[in-house]
Amino acid sequence: MIRQIKTILFLVTIAFFPVQLHANEEGTEEKINIPEIVLEHLADSYEWHIVSFEGKRLSISLPIIVRSDATGEWHFCTAQTLPEPFFFDQEHHGKIYERLSDGTIVRPIDLSITKTVTQIWIVVIVMLVIFLSCARWYRKRDEKSEAPGGFVGMIEMLVMTIHDGLIKPSVGAHYKRFAPYLLTVFFFIFTCNLIGLIPIFPGGANVTGNINVTLFLSVCTMIAINLFGNKEYWKDIFWPEVPMFLKFPVPLMPVIELFGVFTKPFALMIRLFANMMAGHAVILSFTCVIFLGWSMGVGYGIGLNLFSGLMLLFMNCLEVLVAFVQAYVFTMLSAVFIGLAHREHGVE
């Protein structure tokens, strides 16, 4: 399976070693299924694939934790030692299903440590190392010390840019209550996006392109908006300042405003998920074009190599920018929505 953006490695390998990559046991050439390769990468998995060579896969087995619906027992295993009642259903993106004694197929309770979960833990560890090391630097100095330089200075600049240039003006007077959450969201998304661009372990997982992750982040923002919204926020929802016939006897505007409570986090979820998934899919598609070209012949291989190499270089540079932009946009919209939930009466 072709992993993420292996741009330089793929270009060098293909340029100097033009071999046929997809062949079956009889030696006959097989066609490259680009959609299948792309979807395989974007989907979550129960193992972390590193590389394939001469038909052998080098992978890191991840712990599988499932509960049997038939017996109620918990099973702890790996993808290679999955017991008989359970199986990987390829029609459902390789998720684990259980076949009961009567032939019924059910989806068991699955608490496995998948590739996405492992990548999230790696991101959390990276963030802890970065910010604890910065905090240690500040503990050894006081307000009279010189401004930090190097890596600590870069982190401070980034934090102050988000805090002073985004959170403070967007949220308003109550920004201190929400700054820790919004800063955490920004750096979590930004770090996930950057590590996702690394083509080999411990990077390459499509975390922010997983709709479950973006759903959780959006629900957190939704809770921050509605749980701590002031009375003016709820008044604008259930009794907005519009002509009476728009809210009584038919509550047209209140229904629309209440619907907006759910559409705001939904838009956040889809925006981040779609942009990050599309970026990974485009890069993988251009990578597959390299192998497709060599399977069509040397002439096609050289031509498509040059085209794909240029596009991959462009897309990788663009994805670095998108990694920051998407984290910034998600944080900005969250801050704006939280600020609207704390708007004072008569203040626009």
Side-chain angles (χ1 to χ4, degrees), residues 136-149:
R136 188 181 301 110
W137 187 93
Y138 283 102
R139 279 199 301 268
K140 297 179 180 179
R141 290 161 178 81
D142 55 26
E143 63 276 5
K144 296 182 181 180
S145 302
E146 294 183 357

Side-chain angles (χ1 to χ4, degrees), residues 190-254:
F190 186 44
T191 307
C192 283
N193 293 345
L194 288 181
I195 293 181
L197 293 175
I198 302 174
I200 57 175
F201 182 84
N206 187 31
V207 175
T208 48
N210 187 315
I211 198 167
N212 297 304
V213 176
T214 59
L215 172 62
F216 175 78
L217 294 174
S218 301
V219 168
C220 291
T221 296
M222 181 180 176
I223 293 173
I225 295 171
N226 297 285
L227 187 61
F228 302 104
N230 60 15
K231 62 180 181 179
E232 293 297 330
Y233 168 72
W234 292 108
K235 176 181 177 296
D236 287 341
I237 292 177
F238 293 106
W239 199 254
E241 295 181 359
V242 296
M244 183 61 69
F245 70 89
L246 293 177
K247 53 187 177 181
F248 184 83
V250 179
L252 178 61
M253 287 305 299

Side-chain angles (χ1 to χ4, degrees), residues 81 93 120 125 154 211 219 294 318:
T81 60
H93 307 290
I120 291 174
I125 292 172
M154 181 187 69
I211 198 167
V219 168
W294 283 111
L318 183 62

Side-chain angles (χ1 to χ4, degrees), residues 240-305:
E241 295 181 359
V242 296
M244 183 61 69
F245 70 89
L246 293 177
K247 53 187 177 181
F248 184 83
V250 179
L252 178 61
M253 287 305 299
V255 169
I256 294 176
E257 293 291 340
L258 185 61
F259 186 68
V261 171
F262 302 96
T263 56
K264 290 175 182 176
F266 180 78
L268 286 175
M269 175 187 70
I270 296 299
R271 179 188 295 272
L272 179 60
F273 160 72
N275 280 282
M276 299 313 302
M277 183 188 68
H280 283 243
V282 170
I283 289 177
L284 281 167
S285 298
F286 279 119
T287 303
C288 292
V289 168
I290 297 176
F291 301 100
L292 181 63
W294 283 111
S295 66
M296 298 169 62
V298 177
Y300 285 103
I302 295 175
L304 290 177
N305 265 18

Side-chain angles (χ1 to χ4, degrees), residues 1-6 10 41 49-50 115 199 284:
M1 183 183 75
I2 301 175
R3 304 312 292 171
Q4 183 83 302
I5 327 161
K6 300 180 181 177
F10 282 163
H41 167 80
H49 177 256
I50 305 299
K115 181 179 177 181
L284 281 167

Side-chain angles (χ1 to χ4, degrees), residues 56-277:
K56 298 180 179 180
R57 291 168 58 91
L58 176 61
S59 304
I60 298 176
S61 296
L62 301 174
I64 294 177
I65 307 171
V66 291
R67 180 182 181 273
S68 173
D69 277 22
T71 63
E73 296 180 356
W74 287 94
H75 295 266
F76 301 86
C77 56
T78 63
Q80 291 75 25
T81 60
L82 189 67
E84 182 60 32
F86 303 99
F87 66 95
F88 297 104
D89 190 348
Q90 299 304 323
E91 295 183 357
H92 294 86
H93 307 290
K95 297 298 182 182
I96 294 177
Y97 280 77
E98 181 182 4
R99 183 176 289 104
L100 303 180
S101 57
D102 60 357
T104 306
I105 296 177
V106 297
R107 180 83 163 96
I109 297 176
D110 188 354
L111 302 180
S112 303
I113 310 301
T114 62
K115 181 179 177 181
T116 299
V117 175
T118 306
Q119 184 75 92
I120 291 174
W121 286 0
I122 293 173
V123 169
V124 170
I125 292 172
V126 170
M127 292 176 62
L128 286 174
V129 170
I130 291 175
F131 290 107
L132 289 179
S133 62
C134 292
R136 188 181 301 110
W137 187 93
Y138 283 102
R139 279 199 301 268
K140 297 179 180 179
R141 290 161 178 81
D142 55 26
E143 63 276 5
K144 296 182 181 180
S145 302
E146 294 183 357
F151 182 76
V152 177
M154 181 187 69
I155 297 298
E156 180 183 295
M157 178 192 68
L158 193 56
V159 170
M160 297 308 295
T161 298
I162 302 301
H163 183 273
D164 295 346
L166 192 156
I167 298 174
K168 195 171 181 179
S170 298
V171 177
H174 304 278
Y175 73 94
K176 290 184 179 180
R177 297 174 58 188
F178 303 98
Y181 164 70
L182 293 171
L183 283 170
T184 302
V185 167
F186 171 80
F187 281 100
F188 174 77
I189 297 175
F190 186 44
T191 307
C192 283
N193 293 345
L194 288 181
I195 293 181
L197 293 175
I198 302 174
I200 57 175
F201 182 84
N206 187 31
V207 175
T208 48
N210 187 315
I211 198 167
N212 297 304
V213 176
T214 59
L215 172 62
F216 175 78
L217 294 174
S218 301
V219 168
C220 291
T221 296
M222 181 180 176
I223 293 173
I225 295 171
N226 297 285
L227 187 61
F228 302 104
N230 60 15
K231 62 180 181 179
E232 293 297 330
Y233 168 72
W234 292 108
K235 176 181 177 296
D236 287 341
I237 292 177
F238 293 106
W239 199 254
E241 295 181 359
V242 296
M244 183 61 69
F245 70 89
L246 293 177
K247 53 187 177 181
F248 184 83
V250 179
L252 178 61
M253 287 305 299
V255 169
I256 294 176
E257 293 291 340
L258 185 61
F259 186 68
V261 171
F262 302 96
T263 56
K264 290 175 182 176
F266 180 78
L268 286 175
M269 175 187 70
I270 296 299
R271 179 188 295 272
L272 179 60
F273 160 72
N275 280 282
M276 299 313 302
M277 183 188 68

